[in-house]
Amino acid sequence: MAGTTEQDADGTLSVPRKSSWKYIGPGIVVAATGVGAGDLVATLIAGSKFGYTLMWAAVIGCVVKISLAEACGRWHLATGRTLFEGWRSLGKWTTVYFAIYVVVWGFVYGATAMSSSALPIVALFPDGPGLKAWAVLTGLIGLVFVWFNRYAVFEKVMTVLIGIMFVVVVYVAIRVTPDIGAAFAGLAPVLPDGSLLYTLGLIGGVGGTITMAAYGYWVNAKGWTNTGWMKVMRLDNRVAYITTGVFVVAMLIVGAELLHASHLALTKGDRGLIDLGAILEDKYGAVTAKLFLVGFFATSFSSLIGVWHGVSLMFADFVERLQLDRKGVPVDKGTVEEVAAGRKERSLPFRAYLLWLTFPPITLLFLDQPFGLVVAYGVLGAFFMPFLALTLIWLLNSSRTPAEWRNGILSNVMLAAAGLLFVVLCVQQVRELPW
């Protein structure tokens, strides 16, 4: 029957005869992982400062990230090689950067993700254990879940979490009674005074992390390993960033309606959502506030387990690329087929990075983050998105990619625009670090 798949003798999925909604999966995972609590607060603050005026920036941001994620997925499917293998072909500098980045970033991010997941639990159960205890518990739950489950189960749980996020965020946006006319008017590109950095942040910020690079690995983990899956991947990718766009638009609406007119301010970072919960309780009652906190937890915890799984997959690939055989030739580990077979999820490097994301960061929960570590984390993190955009342009316009699947004019324009945007954001983020 058209639109169906069967399993081959080796257990992998046969190529579908046509694209179908029922194959959607990696896109849901990347959307759930990429949208964190901090992203939602940044969007809320933009809405509170400028109302609906920057709605157009949210839409452009979705288009930019559709192009980036599509390029990651296209590389994996068109070449049969993973993204890190592509980076390695560009020179040793990529390996050096990624090695430093993945160690420092993982150390700091682990603590951030655990704290973010614990915040709404503490607000929901104020008489229970404190923030640090809940943070450690969420990290350990994430570790155990990813350690003992393969991609298929992981995808199902992420689908449930993003469903909760979607329902809650859209409900709150409807509850505050949006001004539809003003929202549509906000689609006209306008830059109010003082809005440039907020605009760039909206375009580049929400859903723009290392998880975009992990998208190609999740595509392979789903069982998609060749160009026959290209149409399915592109549909899946659009679903991912349209979903992300709904989150951004909904949070802009909440910021514009609930905070802009009344000049209410939120704390920056994840704690801003606790502020919003208090405002919602005051205005709409305890049920709406508690529902929002459940959505806040789904947002934070989906990002935690998404990174625990996706970046650990990338790290496992990174380590295997560095292995050499006796003759000094890089070992061929089966590339995308190995990801599809689930062997990387059972590998020692995968589990070692899971432990790195969980246990060393616990120490940061009980200490102030060292000054030098904060600066290093900021610089490495700010540079990642320009690194991703510009290396994809390089890879997808070279002979490393089969001619049929190289970038067209539109892809090059979108990736170049993304690269320029992320370079500007990188410079700004580095300038704002506590030097």
Side-chain angles (χ1 to χ4, degrees):
M1 184 171 64
T4 62
T5 59
E6 297 176 353
Q7 287 198 328
D8 293 330
D10 62 0
T12 59
L13 290 174
S14 300
V15 175
R17 295 185 185 137
K18 67 177 183 179
S19 181
S20 171
W21 289 93
K22 72 179 183 178
Y23 302 128
I24 299 304
I28 295 297
V29 171
V30 79
T33 306
V35 180
D39 296 314
L40 295 185
V41 173
T43 309
L44 278 167
I45 291 174
S48 71
K49 286 182 176 292
F50 303 104
Y52 290 98
T53 311
L54 299 182
M55 188 71 77
W56 62 274
V59 174
I60 289 178
C62 289
V63 175
V64 165
K65 285 183 280 288
I66 284 173
S67 301
L68 270 169
E70 186 275 340
C72 291
R74 176 155 46 97
W75 167 265
H76 277 246
L77 296 181
T79 66
R81 295 189 290 167
T82 62
L83 186 56
F84 186 77
E85 193 175 355
W87 285 338
R88 240 185 124 211
S89 73
L90 301 179
K92 290 184 179 178
W93 66 275
T94 59
T95 301
V96 172
Y97 166 70
F98 188 78
I100 299 170
Y101 171 79
V102 80
V103 170
V104 175
W105 182 88
F107 185 34
V108 180
Y109 180 83
T112 304
M114 286 186 258
S115 293
S116 180
S117 297
L119 275 170
I121 302 176
V122 172
L124 283 166
F125 305 104
D127 297 326
L131 179 68
K132 288 169 183 166
W134 280 120
V136 171
L137 184 59
T138 58
L140 294 175
I141 290 171
L143 169 70
V144 170
F145 171 74
V146 176
W147 188 290
F148 290 105
N149 288 293
R150 302 280 78 82
Y151 176 81
V153 176
F154 164 71
E155 183 190 285
K156 286 182 173 65
V157 170
M158 292 293 273
T159 302
V160 171
L161 290 171
I162 202 171
I164 294 169
M165 290 165 60
F166 192 90
V167 169
V168 170
V169 168
V170 171
Y171 166 75
V172 173
I174 294 170
R175 195 82 168 82
V176 300
T177 318
D179 183 336
I180 302 299
F184 276 106
L187 294 174
V190 175
L191 272 179
D193 290 342
S195 68
L196 179 60
L197 292 178
Y198 288 97
T199 303
L200 293 175
L202 265 182
I203 295 173
V206 181
T209 67
I210 190 174
T211 55
M212 294 193 71
Y215 178 64
Y217 289 84
W218 284 324
V219 162
N220 295 151
K222 179 76 170 174
W224 307 346
T225 58
N226 57 53
T227 56
W229 290 95
M230 199 71 76
K231 286 184 179 178
V232 174
M233 181 275 292
R234 285 171 168 162
L235 174 64
D236 177 77
N237 175 45
R238 291 184 194 114
V239 169
Y241 286 99
I242 289 170
T243 304
T244 302
V246 171
F247 291 135
V248 178
V249 168
M251 285 293 103
L252 266 178
I253 288 170
V254 174
E257 293 294 343
L258 203 58
L259 308 175
H260 182 61
S262 52
H263 304 289
L264 294 170
L266 296 180
T267 307
K268 286 188 177 180
D270 301 346
R271 291 185 180 274
L273 292 187
I274 298 295
D275 296 347
L276 181 60
I279 293 167
L280 288 169
E281 183 168 8
D282 183 57
K283 198 168 179 69
Y284 300 108
V287 173
T288 295
K290 289 188 184 304
L291 182 64
F292 175 75
L293 289 171
V294 170
F296 177 3
F297 172 75
T299 300
S300 297
F301 191 65
S302 64
S303 293
L304 186 152
I305 61 173
V307 166
W308 263 228
H309 186 276
V311 184
S312 296
L313 262 183
M314 293 184 70
F315 182 77
D317 187 46
F318 162 72
V319 171
E320 287 171 0
R321 297 298 121 216
L322 296 180
Q323 291 179 338
L324 300 176
D325 70 9
R326 293 175 184 173
K327 296 179 180 179
V329 179
V331 176
D332 182 0
K333 298 292 289 186
T335 59
V336 299
E337 284 80 10
E338 180 141 308
V339 181
R343 285 192 287 274
K344 279 185 171 38
E345 293 170 278
R346 297 187 291 272
S347 69
L348 179 61
F350 180 91
R351 289 177 166 171
Y353 195 72
L354 268 180
L355 296 173
W356 176 254
L357 280 167
T358 307
F359 290 106
I362 287 174
T363 62
L364 288 183
L365 295 172
F366 296 90
L367 300 168
D368 288 331
Q369 292 180 8
F371 175 78
L373 189 62
V374 171
V375 172
Y377 174 77
V379 171
L380 290 164
F383 186 60
F384 183 80
M385 291 305 288
F387 169 80
L388 177 62
L390 298 174
T391 53
L392 283 171
I393 292 175
W394 191 346
L395 289 170
L396 292 167
N397 283 289
S398 72
S399 59
R400 297 171 182 84
T401 305
E404 180 185 357
W405 300 108
R406 289 178 199 161
N407 279 357
I409 294 174
L410 181 60
S411 292
N412 277 325
V413 168
M414 293 305 301
L415 289 176
L420 179 61
L421 165 70
F422 289 121
V423 166
V424 173
L425 285 173
C426 173
V427 171
Q428 183 59 30
Q429 284 177 261
V430 171
R431 284 177 59 189
E432 290 177 355
L433 287 170
W435 299 99

